[in-house]
Amino acid sequence: MRIVVTNCNTTQEMTEEIVRGARAAAGPGTTVSGLTPAWGPASAEGWLDSYLSAAAVLDTLRTYDGPPYDAVVMAGFGEHGREGVRELVDAPVVDITEAAAHLACLLGRRYGVVTTLERSRGQIEDSLETAGVARNCAAIVGTGLHVLDLGDEERTETAFLAAAERACAAGAEVLVLGCAGMTGLQRVVGEKLGLPVVDGVAAAVKLAESLVALGLTTSRIGTYAEPLPKRRVWGRPEPR
Amino acid sequence: MRIVVTNCNTTQEMTEEIVRGARAAAGPGTTVSGLTPAWGPASAEGWLDSYLSAAAVLDTLRTYDGPPYDAVVMAGFGEHGREGVRELVDAPVVDITEAAAHLACLLGRRYGVVTTLERSRGQIEDSLETAGVARNCAAIVGTGLHVLDLGDEERTETAFLAAAERACAAGAEVLVLGCAGMTGLQRVVGEKLGLPVVDGVAAAVKLAESLVALGLTTSRIGTYAEPLPKRRVWGRPEPR
Amino acid sequence: MRIVVTNCNTTQEMTEEIVRGARAAAGPGTTVSGLTPAWGPASAEGWLDSYLSAAAVLDTLRTYDGPPYDAVVMAGFGEHGREGVRELVDAPVVDITEAAAHLACLLGRRYGVVTTLERSRGQIEDSLETAGVARNCAAIVGTGLHVLDLGDEERTETAFLAAAERACAAGAEVLVLGCAGMTGLQRVVGEKLGLPVVDGVAAAVKLAESLVALGLTTSRIGTYAEPLPKRRVWGRPEPR
Amino acid sequence: MRIVVTNCNTTQEMTEEIVRGARAAAGPGTTVSGLTPAWGPASAEGWLDSYLSAAAVLDTLRTYDGPPYDAVVMAGFGEHGREGVRELVDAPVVDITEAAAHLACLLGRRYGVVTTLERSRGQIEDSLETAGVARNCAAIVGTGLHVLDLGDEERTETAFLAAAERACAAGAEVLVLGCAGMTGLQRVVGEKLGLPVVDGVAAAVKLAESLVALGLTTSRIGTYAEPLPKRRVWGRPEPR
Amino acid sequence: MRIVVTNCNTTQEMTEEIVRGARAAAGPGTTVSGLTPAWGPASAEGWLDSYLSAAAVLDTLRTYDGPPYDAVVMAGFGEHGREGVRELVDAPVVDITEAAAHLACLLGRRYGVVTTLERSRGQIEDSLETAGVARNCAAIVGTGLHVLDLGDEERTETAFLAAAERACAAGAEVLVLGCAGMTGLQRVVGEKLGLPVVDGVAAAVKLAESLVALGLTTSRIGTYAEPLPKRRVWGRPEPR
Amino acid sequence: MRIVVTNCNTTQEMTEEIVRGARAAAGPGTTVSGLTPAWGPASAEGWLDSYLSAAAVLDTLRTYDGPPYDAVVMAGFGEHGREGVRELVDAPVVDITEAAAHLACLLGRRYGVVTTLERSRGQIEDSLETAGVARNCAAIVGTGLHVLDLGDEERTETAFLAAAERACAAGAEVLVLGCAGMTGLQRVVGEKLGLPVVDGVAAAVKLAESLVALGLTTSRIGTYAEPLPKRRVWGRPEPR
């Protein structure tokens, strides 16, 4: 099966890193392709970025003309757009935010999210709440790192461990990597902390594979019915 | 003071109708200007439309070059983008969804929302929940009408009254017009039903005027800090 | 329009201070009259005081014989009586507790209340909950000051700033003055703290003006129907 | 031990009926005295009545000069005042609303309340919520009867059975008599319905006896500390 | 009346201690018999123990052949089985977890639970939640003591007082002994702390007596209908 | 990898049917073994059965001496024991109740559960709530069928479709088979209803495979630490 993974920002290197993480998680029969939006923010860090990103990701999928795919994984922790993609495509759609939380719920009584900037906490909180998996979230903690700083592995690891401690003090027994750019960090910090750490990209790939294997896809009878046919303009007529 | 009212869709006639409603509610010293996005959906009816609309409205305000304004009213019932606009502009921002709910809470123990299509209910539910005013919402009921059908006043009124009955049966004592395009309907249906009916556009104008008069604007110390400076592309480089 | 502001206690000086705050917030066409109950507690600090105050305020409005008014503002942060006044009078009724919370929700993701004594926290919590605006309240913090101590401005300010810090640590991005007697403090502490501070009296005046301007008043079809005609005795037959 | 039962209204006959119900429930060593407020509403049916009643009941206990008592039972279903009495007296205080709910939770998964007028539902809802026992309440249903109509036993029973059916359809497995004036009805309707019916007066007497027997009384370390000494006037200086 | 108290573990000494506590709380006409399961864990400390205990207690009551009883008290704080016993027996059933919470709600605005090991907190949380009395629980705090260590009174008291401080800092105004083995501790720690301390065993005895006195027992019309007749094997055919 | 699937009852035919469903869902490299408890109820229909079943399943896994396994799937919809198994075994544990809900949340805004007897609804409700996935559950509806009646396919299908209609009317957009014995029904009813239907057994197998593939297992740092070593007797010394 083919899974398309959409990056929420325009940074090609991040798409590549996410795809590496997704491939590491994918089963033998799964092909993973990454999609980088042609427009949007260079990184999504805040509400404005998130809404810009949501439209750009929708446009990317709307105009996709590659080989047919079986599922979409949306890689943007706490970013918007999930429900719109569910309307747009026929294949099942899994967002890494909800995916990480779903698996985390199976591994401990309460989970914690360690993310980049403190300002992202609100979006993550709302995303978990509306996905229906916020109840067992004990804490969402920021590391103070910017998305594009995550390349510095040592600094990232140190900041992650400090934030993890706060999450555990709040009751978390399982941790979630709160940014697609943290993919790969789960094993090393998991070992140091002695608890399971869930990467949303990997989680979403496995959930997408699961849905495809079971022949399940988005319900069309209610809120996620196909978009109504109408005139829509995707981005400004004359680009600036 | 000047209030800028953003329509969530590209339909100029709807902007004009909304501005009429806003002006009818505005105080003597208030000037109302309407903004129609240069791109986005012709009407917002579903999640995909809503996310497209959010980015388009943000872009419209980002590139605004008219006279300075004191507040923004966002006219799109249940549509996304509110938090992004709070990051973007320094003036206070009031979304018609939350505005209607805030006033409705003052008028009865439980309120109900009467909206257009059933499929919009989920978005309205999430919008009220994250705005912090969902607790006293007894019901969100669809009329089955499309946004662009609302011009047919008789049909709209009939459908509204039928839906209102269901909302009242669920405990609503106050009603909210669940679409910017219903502006103007509140008085006639309020009289027929014998209960207060709140129009979100009018409510938002009064709340915006209130915030401006009290010298209050969005807190910048947390989730609504200014967007970080970075590269962002607003819409596809070559429009299709 | 005329707004009647009811003090929740019998201290005339406090009524005057509240009226000053209300007038500072009122629009040009608004007349504000203050009402001091002829009975009740000298200040409301606790549940017994609050219930005594509720009956006294109801009696004050029941026997009011001044010029007709268009709205009632109830000035008693966290005090009872709001729903009874909604039954009693035909004009819209706005309580300063809910009013401050409604505006605060528009200015940040979470708000905090800074009040007088710790013992008042429970009442405020219940008042916000039943008004339907508790969801986004991050904290209610006491300053340890008595209502009638608030005249000492320097001490009040110092205590307020210390309590504000605790509220912000709990996630508040906006603050609410948790006592009618703090009216006037909002500007100075707001500047020192760098965040919006909402005064309930001012907020209630603007909300009351908004409702009147929009022709909206309390729904009579449900819980706030007029009181049933019956024998009621307001206070002990022979006063002690 | 002596339990004082306070009626929430000035109708002496109702006090007597309540006392009869309380005595029927009381253990062999318990003496029950009824207190009828010297002022307040003839019956409590709505928010205004409820707040008036709360002050009157507080005044009644404040000026009580009978033999010492060991506990207070407050007989007014859904009426205010509970927390004020907890501040005022040293003995434990049990309100019939919460009492009925506490016992009902032990008897089935969900309980329902059958009360008098529909307009009382909101007060009961708030009372259960703030008492901490609302979670398992499946429904609060009105019979349409006035408090002072409850003397007509046949009519009351018929109305109760009809309302009970609605409560059971909503999931109630246990019923609660939602008015002090219904005391005595529990056995006959319980048999007809084949499920347990809890009378709040009886429940409160047993809970009060339990607390006294265990030497437990209200915590004074927080919200229910003693009222602060200050000037309070209980009712208008010259009665009208 | 006769109350049967079931210990949740196989330790006879603990049954005896619980029975002593129950008898100290029981009224003059009440006989208390203790039941120790013939199988199960020596003490219940964790989920596995709790589920093993639930089946063992059910089996104990199922095969009980002593004198008829009027009520069952289940002594295992936070342990499972409550709903199964309600199906099995006709008499009312009171679990000490819920019982303590019910009485605690009457004594202060928020209560705290002080238990043995931290690992028990989750079970207690779920038990209070599903019993419908979790809302006013401010904190569940562990002392770090094992159930079978509670015999060391001095150490228990010291650990209890330290944990109590944390519960009060979280808002508790009333405390609950979070283990049947703590029975008897309530008076001494209550005096030292200056607040009411509720013992679940005593609370459950009084609630059971109350239900019996009022002729109330478990509703059979819904979730607690009698177990269906079918083949059941209680424990392994060949014991190991 | 090897997944062990535990039936919650002693009926060997049902284990076989569940294993068939599990194998149909399992990936190519997965071996599925079924375990039937040597004791417990012939079917689990109610709280007593559920607790008996929980202990029996724990005992079955405790004394398991087959080939090593990588994950446990617990097949008993709404049955107890999940947390105990997480303590007991080192491999990840997935219960079919939570598994179905996790996948259903990805497929629609609200899901509904169609189960056997109405009396099972409470257990399912509690199970979803404590697993952290109840928020998006719109309804739990009974078909009136007994577990051991499910062999009659036509009757089952008819009853399922009728119940499904009620779930959809309550807002469900996705359905969950609320009994392990319904495994296999998902495809036919899904097609008739035009919406996704999730089978918990299949969902749990995919989630278990996902956790194993990602190297994730239960957190041992908190509530699911290993059971403490102590004396435990599993079932009555002399079997009856």
Side-chain angles (χ1 to χ4, degrees):
Chain A
M1 81 182 72
R2 177 181 299 273
I3 294 177
V4 159
V5 180
T6 57
N7 183 3
C8 66
N9 62 48
T10 58
T11 303
Q12 181 67 29
E13 297 71 34
M14 195 168 291
T15 310
E16 284 159 21
E17 192 187 325
I18 292 166
V19 167
R20 266 195 300 279
R23 284 189 182 138
T30 303
T31 305
V32 173
S33 339
L35 287 186
T36 310
W39 52 288
S43 64
E45 294 168 315
W47 299 93
L48 179 141
D49 285 347
S50 189
Y51 287 122
L52 174 56
S53 159
V57 168
L58 281 163
D59 191 31
T60 305
L61 285 164
R62 182 184 67 92
T63 58
Y64 172 84
D65 56 5
Y69 53 82
D70 300 284
V72 174
V73 163
M74 296 181 67
F77 205 91
E79 308 313 336
H80 288 83
R82 181 169 69 199
E83 304 92 342
V85 178
R86 288 199 170 119
E87 285 182 341
L88 181 67
V89 308
D90 284 323
V93 176
V94 184
D95 160 47
I96 65 168
T97 325
E98 61 190 355
H102 282 298
L103 293 198
C105 285
L106 298 172
L107 299 168
R109 189 171 164 79
R110 295 289 181 267
Y111 67 92
V113 178
V114 175
T115 189
T116 50
L117 304 178
E118 286 290 320
R119 74 185 295 164
S120 299
R121 291 172 51 203
Q123 287 166 249
I124 294 171
E125 205 174 302
D126 285 4
S127 183
L128 295 171
E129 177 66 26
T130 55
V133 285
R135 185 196 188 264
N136 288 356
C137 180
I140 303 172
V141 183
T143 54
L145 298 177
H146 286 258
V147 172
L148 300 179
D149 288 347
L150 296 176
D152 180 340
E153 287 185 23
E154 199 179 310
R155 186 175 161 204
T156 300
E157 189 185 314
T158 307
F160 190 96
L161 294 174
E165 209 165 300
R166 291 163 56 204
C168 291
E173 299 177 355
V174 182
L175 293 177
V176 162
L177 300 183
C179 177
M182 289 177 178
T183 297
L185 195 63
Q186 64 271 27
R187 218 162 292 253
V188 55
V189 296
E191 269 164 35
K192 293 210 173 163
L193 292 163
L195 48 71
V197 179
V198 183
D199 168 42
V201 174
V205 166
K206 298 320 281 182
L207 287 170
E209 287 179 337
S210 298
L211 295 175
V212 173
L214 299 178
L216 292 167
T217 190
T218 306
S219 175
R220 292 301 207 169
I221 66 163
T223 197
Y224 301 138
E226 288 185 26
L228 298 169
K230 70 177 59 160
R231 190 169 156 277
R232 293 179 182 92
V233 182
W234 292 83
R236 15 189 67 242
E238 305 92 51
R240 314 184 156 217
Chain B
M1 81 181 71
R2 177 180 299 272
I3 293 177
V4 159
V5 180
T6 57
N7 183 2
C8 66
N9 63 46
T10 58
T11 303
Q12 182 66 30
E13 299 71 37
M14 194 168 291
T15 310
E16 283 159 21
E17 192 188 325
I18 292 167
V19 168
R20 266 196 301 279
R23 285 190 181 136
T30 302
T31 305
V32 174
S33 337
L35 288 186
T36 310
W39 52 288
S43 64
E45 293 168 316
W47 299 94
L48 178 141
D49 285 348
S50 189
Y51 286 122
L52 174 57
S53 157
V57 168
L58 281 164
D59 192 33
T60 305
L61 284 163
R62 183 183 67 91
T63 58
Y64 173 84
D65 57 4
Y69 53 83
D70 299 285
V72 174
V73 163
M74 296 181 66
F77 206 92
E79 307 312 337
H80 287 82
R82 180 169 68 199
E83 305 92 343
V85 177
R86 287 198 171 122
E87 284 183 341
L88 180 66
V89 308
D90 284 322
V93 175
V94 184
D95 160 47
I96 65 168
T97 325
E98 61 190 355
H102 282 298
L103 294 197
C105 284
L106 298 171
L107 299 168
R109 188 171 166 80
R110 295 289 181 267
Y111 67 91
V113 177
V114 176
T115 189
T116 49
L117 303 178
E118 285 290 321
R119 73 184 296 165
S120 300
R121 291 173 52 205
Q123 288 167 249
I124 294 171
E125 205 174 302
D126 285 3
S127 183
L128 294 171
E129 176 66 25
T130 56
V133 285
R135 184 197 188 264
N136 289 357
C137 179
I140 304 173
V141 183
T143 53
L145 298 177
H146 287 259
V147 172
L148 301 179
D149 288 347
L150 298 175
D152 180 341
E153 287 184 24
E154 199 178 312
R155 187 176 159 203
T156 300
E157 189 184 315
T158 306
F160 191 97
L161 295 175
E165 209 165 301
R166 290 162 55 203
C168 290
E173 300 177 356
V174 182
L175 293 177
V176 162
L177 301 183
C179 177
M182 290 176 177
T183 299
L185 194 64
Q186 65 270 30
R187 217 162 294 254
V188 55
V189 294
E191 269 164 35
K192 293 210 173 163
L193 292 163
L195 48 70
V197 179
V198 182
D199 168 42
V201 174
V205 166
K206 298 320 280 182
L207 286 171
E209 287 179 338
S210 297
L211 295 176
V212 173
L214 298 178
L216 292 167
T217 189
T218 306
S219 175
R220 290 301 207 169
I221 67 163
T223 198
Y224 300 138
E226 288 185 26
L228 297 170
K230 70 178 60 160
R231 190 167 157 278
R232 293 179 182 91
V233 182
W234 291 83
R236 21 186 64 239
E238 305 90 53
R240 311 183 160 220
Chain C
M1 82 181 69
R2 176 180 299 272
I3 294 177
V4 159
V5 180
T6 57
N7 183 3
C8 66
N9 63 47
T10 58
T11 303
Q12 182 67 29
E13 298 72 35
M14 194 167 291
T15 311
E16 283 158 22
E17 192 187 325
I18 292 166
V19 167
R20 265 196 301 279
R23 283 188 183 139
T30 302
T31 304
V32 174
S33 338
L35 288 186
T36 310
W39 52 288
S43 64
E45 294 167 315
W47 298 94
L48 177 141
D49 285 347
S50 189
Y51 287 122
L52 174 57
S53 158
V57 168
L58 281 164
D59 191 32
T60 305
L61 284 164
R62 184 184 66 92
T63 58
Y64 173 83
D65 56 5
Y69 53 82
D70 300 284
V72 174
V73 163
M74 297 182 66
F77 206 91
E79 307 313 337
H80 288 83
R82 180 169 67 199
E83 305 91 343
V85 177
R86 288 198 170 120
E87 285 181 341
L88 180 66
V89 308
D90 285 322
V93 175
V94 184
D95 159 46
I96 65 168
T97 325
E98 62 189 354
H102 282 298
L103 293 198
C105 284
L106 297 171
L107 299 168
R109 188 170 165 81
R110 294 289 181 267
Y111 67 91
V113 177
V114 175
T115 188
T116 50
L117 303 178
E118 285 290 321
R119 73 184 296 164
S120 300
R121 290 172 53 203
Q123 287 166 251
I124 294 172
E125 205 173 303
D126 285 4
S127 184
L128 294 171
E129 177 66 25
T130 55
V133 285
R135 186 198 187 263
N136 288 356
C137 180
I140 304 172
V141 183
T143 53
L145 299 176
H146 286 258
V147 173
L148 300 179
D149 287 347
L150 296 176
D152 181 340
E153 287 184 25
E154 199 178 311
R155 186 175 161 203
T156 300
E157 190 185 313
T158 306
F160 190 97
L161 294 175
E165 210 165 301
R166 290 163 56 203
C168 290
E173 300 177 355
V174 182
L175 294 177
V176 162
L177 301 183
C179 176
M182 290 177 178
T183 298
L185 195 63
Q186 65 271 29
R187 218 161 292 254
V188 55
V189 295
E191 270 165 34
K192 294 211 173 163
L193 292 163
L195 49 70
V197 179
V198 183
D199 168 42
V201 174
V205 166
K206 299 320 280 184
L207 287 171
E209 287 178 339
S210 297
L211 295 175
V212 173
L214 299 178
L216 292 167
T217 190
T218 306
S219 175
R220 291 301 207 172
I221 66 164
T223 197
Y224 301 138
E226 288 184 26
L228 298 169
K230 70 177 60 159
R231 188 168 158 280
R232 294 179 181 92
V233 182
W234 291 82
R236 23 187 60 241
E238 304 91 54
R240 312 180 159 217
Chain D
M1 82 181 71
R2 177 180 299 272
I3 294 177
V4 159
V5 180
T6 58
N7 183 2
C8 65
N9 62 48
T10 57
T11 303
Q12 181 65 32
E13 297 72 34
M14 194 168 291
T15 310
E16 283 158 22
E17 192 187 325
I18 292 166
V19 167
R20 265 197 300 279
R23 284 188 183 138
T30 303
T31 305
V32 173
S33 340
L35 288 186
T36 310
W39 53 288
S43 63
E45 292 167 317
W47 299 93
L48 178 142
D49 285 347
S50 188
Y51 287 122
L52 174 57
S53 157
V57 168
L58 281 164
D59 191 33
T60 305
L61 284 164
R62 183 183 67 91
T63 57
Y64 173 84
D65 57 5
Y69 53 84
D70 300 284
V72 174
V73 162
M74 296 182 66
F77 206 91
E79 307 313 338
H80 288 83
R82 181 169 69 198
E83 305 92 342
V85 177
R86 288 198 171 121
E87 284 182 340
L88 181 66
V89 308
D90 285 322
V93 176
V94 184
D95 160 46
I96 65 168
T97 326
E98 61 190 355
H102 282 297
L103 293 197
C105 284
L106 298 171
L107 299 168
R109 189 172 165 80
R110 295 288 180 269
Y111 67 91
V113 178
V114 175
T115 188
T116 49
L117 303 178
E118 286 289 322
R119 73 184 297 163
S120 300
R121 291 173 51 203
Q123 287 167 249
I124 294 171
E125 204 173 303
D126 286 3
S127 183
L128 294 171
E129 176 66 26
T130 56
V133 285
R135 184 195 188 266
N136 289 357
C137 179
I140 304 171
V141 183
T143 52
L145 298 177
H146 287 258
V147 173
L148 301 179
D149 287 347
L150 297 175
D152 180 340
E153 287 184 24
E154 198 178 313
R155 186 176 161 203
T156 300
E157 188 185 315
T158 307
F160 190 97
L161 294 174
E165 208 165 304
R166 289 163 57 203
C168 290
E173 299 176 358
V174 182
L175 294 177
V176 162
L177 301 183
C179 177
M182 290 176 177
T183 298
L185 195 63
Q186 65 269 30
R187 218 162 292 254
V188 55
V189 294
E191 269 164 37
K192 293 211 172 162
L193 292 163
L195 48 71
V197 179
V198 183
D199 168 42
V201 174
V205 166
K206 297 321 279 182
L207 287 171
E209 288 179 337
S210 297
L211 294 176
V212 172
L214 299 178
L216 291 167
T217 189
T218 307
S219 175
R220 290 300 206 171
I221 68 162
T223 199
Y224 301 137
E226 287 185 26
L228 298 170
K230 69 177 61 161
R231 190 169 156 276
R232 294 179 181 91
V233 181
W234 292 82
R236 15 190 67 239
E238 307 90 53
R240 313 183 158 216
Chain E
M1 81 181 72
R2 177 180 300 273
I3 294 178
V4 159
V5 180
T6 58
N7 183 3
C8 65
N9 62 48
T10 57
T11 304
Q12 181 66 28
E13 298 71 35
M14 194 168 292
T15 311
E16 283 158 22
E17 192 187 325
I18 292 166
V19 167
R20 266 196 301 280
R23 283 189 183 138
T30 303
T31 305
V32 174
S33 340
L35 288 186
T36 310
W39 52 289
S43 64
E45 292 167 316
W47 299 93
L48 179 141
D49 285 347
S50 189
Y51 287 122
L52 174 57
S53 157
V57 168
L58 281 163
D59 191 32
T60 305
L61 285 163
R62 183 184 67 92
T63 58
Y64 173 84
D65 56 5
Y69 52 84
D70 299 284
V72 174
V73 163
M74 296 181 66
F77 206 91
E79 307 314 337
H80 288 83
R82 180 169 68 199
E83 305 91 342
V85 178
R86 288 198 170 120
E87 284 182 342
L88 181 66
V89 309
D90 283 323
V93 176
V94 184
D95 160 46
I96 65 168
T97 326
E98 61 190 356
H102 282 298
L103 293 198
C105 284
L106 298 171
L107 298 169
R109 187 169 167 80
R110 295 289 181 267
Y111 68 91
V113 177
V114 176
T115 188
T116 50
L117 303 178
E118 285 290 321
R119 74 184 297 164
S120 300
R121 292 172 52 203
Q123 287 166 251
I124 294 172
E125 206 173 300
D126 286 3
S127 183
L128 294 171
E129 177 66 25
T130 55
V133 285
R135 184 195 187 265
N136 289 356
C137 180
I140 303 172
V141 183
T143 53
L145 298 177
H146 286 258
V147 172
L148 300 180
D149 288 346
L150 297 175
D152 180 340
E153 286 184 25
E154 199 178 312
R155 185 175 162 205
T156 300
E157 189 185 315
T158 307
F160 191 96
L161 294 174
E165 210 166 300
R166 290 162 57 203
C168 291
E173 300 177 357
V174 182
L175 294 177
V176 162
L177 301 183
C179 177
M182 290 177 177
T183 297
L185 195 63
Q186 65 270 29
R187 218 162 293 252
V188 56
V189 295
E191 269 163 37
K192 294 211 172 163
L193 292 163
L195 48 71
V197 179
V198 183
D199 168 42
V201 174
V205 166
K206 298 319 280 183
L207 287 170
E209 287 179 337
S210 297
L211 295 176
V212 173
L214 298 179
L216 292 167
T217 190
T218 306
S219 175
R220 291 301 206 171
I221 67 164
T223 198
Y224 301 137
E226 288 184 27
L228 298 169
K230 70 177 59 161
R231 191 168 155 277
R232 293 179 181 93
V233 182
W234 292 82
R236 18 189 65 242
E238 305 90 54
R240 313 182 159 220
Chain F
M1 82 181 70
R2 177 180 300 273
I3 294 177
V4 159
V5 180
T6 57
N7 183 3
C8 65
N9 61 48
T10 57
T11 303
Q12 181 66 30
E13 298 71 36
M14 195 167 291
T15 309
E16 283 158 21
E17 192 187 326
I18 292 166
V19 168
R20 264 196 302 279
R23 284 188 182 139
T30 302
T31 306
V32 173
S33 337
L35 288 186
T36 310
W39 52 288
S43 64
E45 293 168 315
W47 298 94
L48 179 141
D49 285 347
S50 190
Y51 287 122
L52 174 57
S53 157
V57 168
L58 281 163
D59 191 31
T60 305
L61 284 164
R62 183 183 69 91
T63 57
Y64 173 83
D65 57 4
Y69 53 83
D70 300 284
V72 174
V73 162
M74 297 181 66
F77 207 91
E79 306 314 337
H80 288 83
R82 181 169 68 199
E83 305 92 341
V85 178
R86 288 199 170 119
E87 284 182 341
L88 180 66
V89 308
D90 284 323
V93 175
V94 184
D95 159 47
I96 65 168
T97 326
E98 61 190 355
H102 282 297
L103 293 196
C105 284
L106 298 171
L107 299 168
R109 188 171 165 80
R110 295 288 182 269
Y111 67 91
V113 178
V114 175
T115 188
T116 50
L117 302 178
E118 286 290 321
R119 74 184 296 164
S120 301
R121 290 172 53 203
Q123 288 166 249
I124 294 172
E125 206 174 301
D126 286 2
S127 183
L128 294 171
E129 177 66 25
T130 56
V133 285
R135 184 197 188 263
N136 289 356
C137 180
I140 303 172
V141 183
T143 53
L145 298 176
H146 287 258
V147 173
L148 301 180
D149 287 347
L150 297 175
D152 180 340
E153 287 184 24
E154 198 178 313
R155 186 175 161 205
T156 301
E157 188 184 316
T158 306
F160 190 97
L161 295 174
E165 209 167 301
R166 290 163 56 204
C168 290
E173 300 176 356
V174 182
L175 293 178
V176 162
L177 302 183
C179 177
M182 290 176 177
T183 297
L185 195 63
Q186 66 268 30
R187 217 162 294 253
V188 55
V189 295
E191 268 164 36
K192 294 212 171 163
L193 292 163
L195 47 70
V197 179
V198 183
D199 167 42
V201 174
V205 166
K206 299 319 279 183
L207 287 170
E209 288 179 336
S210 297
L211 294 175
V212 173
L214 299 178
L216 292 167
T217 189
T218 306
S219 176
R220 289 301 206 170
I221 67 164
T223 198
Y224 301 137
E226 287 184 28
L228 297 169
K230 71 177 59 160
R231 191 168 157 278
R232 293 179 181 92
V233 181
W234 292 83
R236 17 187 68 240
E238 305 90 54
R240 312 181 159 221

